[in-house]
Amino acid sequence: MLPPRPGLSRWAMSVGFMLRPTDFVEACAADCGDFFTLRPAPGRQVVFTSDPQAVRQVFTGDPALLHAGAGNVTLAPLLGPGSVLLLDGAEHLRHRKLLLPPFHGDRMRGHADVMREVAERHVARWPRDRAFAVLPSMQAMTLEIILRVVFGVSDPVARQRLGDPLRVLLEEMASPVRLLALGLTGSRRRGPLSPWRRFARLRALADARVHEEIARRRADPDAAGRDDVFSMLVAARDEQGRALTDDELRDELMTLLVAGHETTATALAWALERIVRHPAVHARLRAEQAAGGTAYLDAVIRETLRLRPVVPAVVRELQAPMTFGGWDLPAGVSIAPSIYLLHRRPDLYPEPLAFRPERFLDRAPGTYEWIPFGGSVRRCLGASFALLEMRELLGVVLREVPLRAGSRGDGEATRRRTVTFAPADGGRILVGA
Ligand code: HEM
């Protein structure tokens, strides 16, 4: 038997899931407890859990029995079949091993200068006389950083040629309504008004630019000496000496862009949304920056990702029957650790709703209690990259400008964008003491 379904009407479920995602998930937990079942699509059953023991079991379980690829299938039209996010089993591990070395923390630290330079230029252009949503600026920064650090495109004209169609494509997929329409119409209906047709046109242009870049990189005699992720992927070989094909490279580059751009920008917007509403935290951060430290900033980043995780859950499809928390789940059902609910458990985090970075100053986050980057062989490949980028970008903001909240109230609601939970007003801030 599956765990209970929340006692909400079908309509309330669909609307809540899309438009009021955090209220919805909290209502489900209030109604059903640590395990509840949702049917996001016909024939698909997902058991959400915030039970720490079950979460640990998912992350320490056999990956051959807990497939992640199926859970990311809504992104398949964008990512392509060769994406590490969609693969499982041996092929997933092969891609993951090729992707891991360029994302190693030590190697990433070599890109800190680029991150700071990008942030300084963007922050200098922030309006000084009015409140504004910081998310679009953060998106511009993280896109530029991905294009430089991952794609290795330093020339601004080339970056625009590649970046513009990619940005338009990502924006198209950011709206949950459009994503839903795309899923509903599917690739079969290609009439003139089909959202699929528009999407396919945008994707074809973006793909053409990515393939241009792949051809250029393959022909580059200096590629071996370059330190961007793309050049390293072109040179990477698996244990059988095989390289990634052009199509696999395209899919992985698109994956890194989709997985790394919006997520990090959203986390940065949430961090500022929280910081400006906590003047004591803000003052301590600025003092720490002036003294050249980062320990408190790192704690603020961890606390932001705890209380406002940008990816709300991870999903694994069972390949065999398994038992979680006394519930016997059949093969084919998915289990989804709810990052959002786990991070708000009072037994793990006393006064869980309080934004209190100090809780991470004297203790490192628990591997199975703090999971903004998921876990197991699927743990986020870009976690070191994202944490470094957050530290560098927030450091620049804190050093360069005094800030205030740009809207009233004790915080912004949450809005769903593609795979992320974002601040509903984009993180409104005001530059000025
Ligand atoms: C704050 C920023 C980010 C957050 C919160 C985040 C979160 C996540 C989460 C929750 C997963 C799924 C893990 C699982 O299923 O257990 C994931 C996977 C992944 N992320 Fe991130 N991510 C971030 C930034 C990045 C960046 C910057 C990159 C690369 C440029 C990246 C690349 C990936 C990739 C390739 C995967 C798939 C790993 C696999 O399936 O083996 N992410 N991320």
Side-chain angles (χ1 to χ4, degrees):
M1 199 174 79
L2 295 182
R5 298 187 64 194
L8 301 168
S9 72
R10 215 184 167 78
W11 185 84
M13 298 260 262
S14 312
V15 171
F17 184 78
M18 277 297 175
L19 302 179
R20 306 283 300 270
T22 50
D23 292 346
F24 170 73
V25 82
E26 281 170 25
C28 293
D31 203 25
C32 306
D34 288 350
F35 292 84
F36 56 88
T37 306
L38 298 180
R39 292 199 177 103
R44 199 162 137 64
Q45 313 206 79
V46 183
V47 173
F48 284 80
T49 183
S50 55
D51 174 62
Q53 195 50 42
V55 172
R56 174 184 290 264
Q57 205 185 327
V58 169
F59 287 148
T60 53
D62 181 354
L65 303 180
L66 292 154
H67 279 185
N72 298 323
V73 74
T74 45
L75 292 172
L78 185 59
L79 303 182
S83 159
V84 69
L85 267 167
L86 299 174
L87 295 168
D88 276 299
E91 214 29 37
H92 167 256
L93 277 186
R94 172 176 171 257
H95 278 239
R96 196 170 160 97
K97 278 188 191 157
L98 291 170
L99 286 165
L100 265 171
F103 283 101
H104 193 275
D106 292 341
R107 207 178 277 282
M108 274 298 138
R109 272 188 285 284
H111 299 294
D113 289 351
V114 169
M115 295 173 177
R116 279 196 298 275
E117 186 257 297
V118 171
E120 279 161 8
R121 189 158 29 80
H122 282 263
V123 172
R125 293 202 298 254
W126 280 1
R128 296 301 201 256
D129 50 354
R130 60 179 170 85
F132 65 100
V134 78
L135 182 58
S137 178
M138 289 302 181
Q139 287 165 329
M141 290 189 224
T142 60
L143 181 63
E144 183 176 340
I145 289 169
I146 288 213
L147 290 173
R148 289 174 68 170
V149 170
V150 175
F151 286 70
V153 185
S154 46
D155 171 55
V157 177
R159 207 161 53 235
Q160 197 172 357
R161 181 171 167 76
L162 178 66
D164 282 356
L166 288 171
R167 197 179 46 246
V168 174
L169 181 63
L170 292 180
E171 201 46 48
E172 180 76 5
M173 295 293 278
S175 149
V177 177
R178 259 174 280 169
L179 197 64
L180 190 69
L182 207 60
L184 289 177
T185 53
S187 58
R188 282 153 287 132
R189 296 191 203 159
R190 298 182 184 208
L193 297 177
S194 158
W196 182 269
R197 206 177 158 105
R198 179 179 155 76
F199 164 73
R201 190 164 40 79
L202 296 176
R203 189 185 58 184
L205 178 59
D207 280 0
R209 299 280 164 87
V210 173
H211 277 292
E212 259 177 29
E213 209 46 53
I214 293 175
R216 192 169 305 136
R217 201 61 54 93
R218 290 220 192 269
D220 182 355
D222 302 326
R226 299 175 58 139
D227 67 348
D228 59 88
V229 174
F230 186 3
S231 300
M232 290 165 83
L233 286 181
V234 168
R237 299 289 178 270
D238 66 16
E239 282 147 12
Q240 274 82 47
R242 287 172 303 168
L244 291 169
T245 64
D246 281 6
D247 286 341
E248 286 174 329
L249 266 175
R250 176 267 169 218
D251 291 355
E252 293 303 17
L253 287 169
M254 195 61 91
T255 299
L256 295 173
L257 181 69
V258 170
H261 155 62
E262 183 81 20
T263 44
T264 315
T266 307
L268 282 158
W270 272 129
L272 289 179
E273 189 270 355
R274 289 293 79 201
I275 290 169
V276 293
R277 283 182 174 76
H278 293 83
V281 172
H282 190 192
R284 186 166 174 182
L285 282 170
R286 296 200 74 187
E288 184 186 63
Q289 286 297 314
T294 58
Y296 192 64
L297 176 56
D298 288 343
V300 167
I301 291 169
R302 286 168 174 172
E303 181 68 340
T304 303
L305 290 170
R306 178 187 74 81
L307 210 46
R308 299 289 188 274
V310 294
V311 179
V314 297
V315 182
R316 304 287 189 266
E317 188 185 83
L318 305 192
Q319 304 303 300
M322 291 175 96
T323 303
F324 293 93
W327 296 98
D328 296 325
L329 309 185
V333 164
S334 293
I335 179 101
S338 167
I339 301 174
Y340 179 85
L341 291 173
L342 182 81
H343 285 181
R344 287 170 176 242
R345 286 183 70 98
D347 52 350
L348 299 181
Y349 299 100
E351 292 187 61
L353 302 188
F355 182 72
R356 192 179 300 147
E358 290 71 17
R359 57 175 108 231
F360 291 120
L361 264 185
D362 31 346
R363 77 168 177 129
T367 312
Y368 304 111
E369 296 171 2
W370 186 80
I371 55 165
F373 297 107
S376 73
V377 294
R378 309 304 298 225
R379 185 172 187 271
C380 176
L381 272 164
S384 299
F385 182 4
L387 290 172
L388 175 73
E389 193 171 347
M390 289 186 75
R391 184 200 281 176
E392 295 302 336
L393 267 54
L394 289 171
V396 169
V397 173
L398 291 162
R399 287 192 298 275
E400 300 287 319
V401 285
L403 291 178
R404 276 185 289 141
S407 56
R408 289 176 199 278
D410 51 8
E412 293 185 21
T414 302
R415 163 169 72 111
R416 189 184 282 278
R417 281 176 61 94
T418 323
V419 289
T420 59
F421 276 14
D425 300 323
R428 290 188 73 76
I429 57 169
L430 187 67
V431 174

